[in-house]
Amino acid sequence: MIVQRVVLNSRPGKNGNPVAENFRMEEVYLPDNINEGQVQVRTLYLSVDPYMRCRMNEDTGTDYITPWQLSQVVDGGGIGIIEESKHTNLTKGDFVTSFYWPWQTKVILDGNSLEKIGHLLGCSRVVGICGTHEKCVLLTSELGFDAAINYKKDNVAEQLRESCPAGVDVYFDNVGGNISDTVISQMNENSHIILCGQISQYNKDVPYPPPLSPAIEAIQKERNITRERFLVLNYKDKFEPGILQLSQWFKEGKLKIKETVINGLENMGAAFQSMMTGGNIGKQIVCISEEISL
């Protein structure tokens, strides 16, 4: 059978901004038969994430993610529905997910690589930092944040002092650069930085994680601020209980979900470019196939 896929068409360069044209759609032959232990899956949704920018380079700068290869299919987080199975634990109609899902309309995968889908922690005050007024309103009106700071309009240091008059105890860092420097400068003694991402630095040829400036590093050491890298792949044993807990909070109305969904495999490149420039509100997802009937 003939399926569509997305391949890496070109690299933006370590200091370049990715564009939709870095990706290319093409057709490829998918075998009609699958082997023992394999499943044929129709792709429903694909995830677009900031870490993927590193995979566009010849060297990702890390030892836990590999670079995408030119003219080869791109992969990342995905969800699909099994249409045919020769795996003992997976059957036709199962919804499955993987971190290494090829950007294709249909795929044949090793069943062992798939998983079936199946104020909350005591923070007294939660403050978000984002890039538009719309996102700030969303954080405070719908998602339960106590305050939100628009880094493109507001004086972040001043607003942070007003929003966190007692200082910052925990910083979930997804951005890096000047914003992170500002937050760290207002963190308390024995506080903690969860280093999840550094999107402001991904279009620059710098090591990961980017080193702190001497002044900020001095603050970190003086105040005994821990800075620990968070890598989700290190917590595979917690995926199932984590999903169950998050699902329960969602059902109880304690957790809200926001997504920006673009339709069509042909729009993967555009979705990626938009995500890298803040065009998404919540998780950036591309819907490949909504039809779930078999």
Side-chain angles (χ1 to χ4, degrees):
M1 98 182 54
I2 302 298
V3 300
Q4 293 181 312
R5 72 176 186 176
V6 174
V7 302
L8 184 65
N9 187 49
S10 59
R11 301 188 191 277
K14 286 191 173 182
N15 295 309
N17 296 317
V19 294
E21 290 72 25
N22 292 134
F23 302 94
R24 183 180 77 248
M25 278 272 294
E26 65 180 26
E27 292 186 338
V28 66
Y29 174 76
L30 195 70
D32 292 325
N33 298 316
I34 60 176
N35 298 322
E36 290 298 321
Q38 291 183 326
V39 294
Q40 179 186 298
V41 191
R42 178 155 44 86
T43 306
L44 297 178
Y45 298 97
L46 294 172
S47 175
V48 180
D49 302 286
Y51 83 91
M52 293 175 171
R53 173 61 182 85
C54 302
R55 301 191 69 187
M56 299 183 79
N57 299 330
E58 291 187 54
D59 180 3
T60 64
T62 69
D63 56 2
Y64 56 88
I65 54 173
T66 57
W68 290 328
Q69 299 302 312
L70 288 173
S71 298
Q72 297 298 311
V73 67
V74 177
D75 67 330
I79 295 173
I81 186 169
I82 295 177
E83 295 187 325
E84 182 181 355
S85 175
K86 288 188 177 180
H87 190 278
T88 55
N89 297 327
L90 299 170
T91 61
K92 182 177 179 180
D94 281 346
F95 292 94
V96 289
T97 183
S98 171
F99 277 109
Y100 306 103
W101 199 290
W103 287 9
Q104 292 184 190
T105 50
K106 292 188 179 184
V107 293
I108 294 175
L109 298 171
D110 178 354
N112 293 326
S113 68
L114 300 171
E115 295 283 344
K116 283 192 182 182
I117 295 175
H119 294 336
L120 297 173
L121 298 178
C123 292
S124 61
R125 188 163 180 78
V126 180
V127 177
I129 302 176
C130 52
T132 68
H133 175 70
E134 181 184 10
K135 292 179 181 179
C136 286
V137 171
L138 177 69
L139 291 180
T140 55
S141 65
E142 293 190 39
L143 301 186
F145 282 62
D146 296 289
I149 300 169
N150 183 344
Y151 71 88
K152 292 183 180 179
K153 297 289 185 180
D154 300 329
N155 182 312
V156 176
E158 181 180 302
Q159 291 293 313
L160 192 60
R161 280 191 291 270
E162 291 183 10
S163 300
C164 302
V168 177
D169 293 311
V170 178
Y171 175 39
F172 193 88
D173 186 4
N174 257 327
V175 62
N178 293 333
I179 292 175
S180 291
D181 289 350
T182 300
V183 175
I184 295 170
S185 68
Q186 296 191 34
M187 295 187 74
N188 295 323
E189 287 191 24
N190 303 315
S191 53
H192 185 54
I193 302 167
I194 303 165
L195 182 56
C196 180
Q198 301 279 275
I199 192 171
S200 70
Q201 307 300 300
Y202 288 167
N203 293 331
K204 301 176 183 179
D205 185 9
V206 295
Y208 187 86
L212 298 172
S213 67
I216 298 300
E217 186 176 15
I219 291 175
Q220 180 196 1
K221 291 180 178 179
E222 179 184 337
R223 300 179 190 171
N224 192 35
I225 302 171
T226 56
R227 187 175 185 240
E228 182 181 6
R229 291 175 66 177
F230 173 74
L231 177 60
V232 68
L233 297 178
N234 288 340
Y235 299 91
K236 289 183 177 179
D237 60 320
K238 300 184 185 297
F239 283 4
E240 184 174 350
I243 290 173
L244 290 174
Q245 178 66 84
L246 292 169
S247 298
Q248 184 62 34
W249 282 338
F250 176 69
K251 291 176 183 177
E252 294 172 354
K254 296 178 180 178
L255 185 69
K256 299 289 183 66
I257 296 174
K258 290 296 175 183
E259 299 166 339
T260 295
V261 181
I262 295 179
N263 293 318
L265 186 71
E266 69 276 9
N267 291 315
M268 293 297 298
F272 188 88
Q273 181 178 5
S274 175
M275 177 273 301
M276 286 297 297
T277 54
N280 55 303
I281 297 179
K283 179 72 172 175
Q284 178 67 67
I285 294 174
V286 179
C287 176
I288 308 304
S289 171
E290 289 185 303
E291 166 110 30
I292 61 173
S293 61
L294 293 174

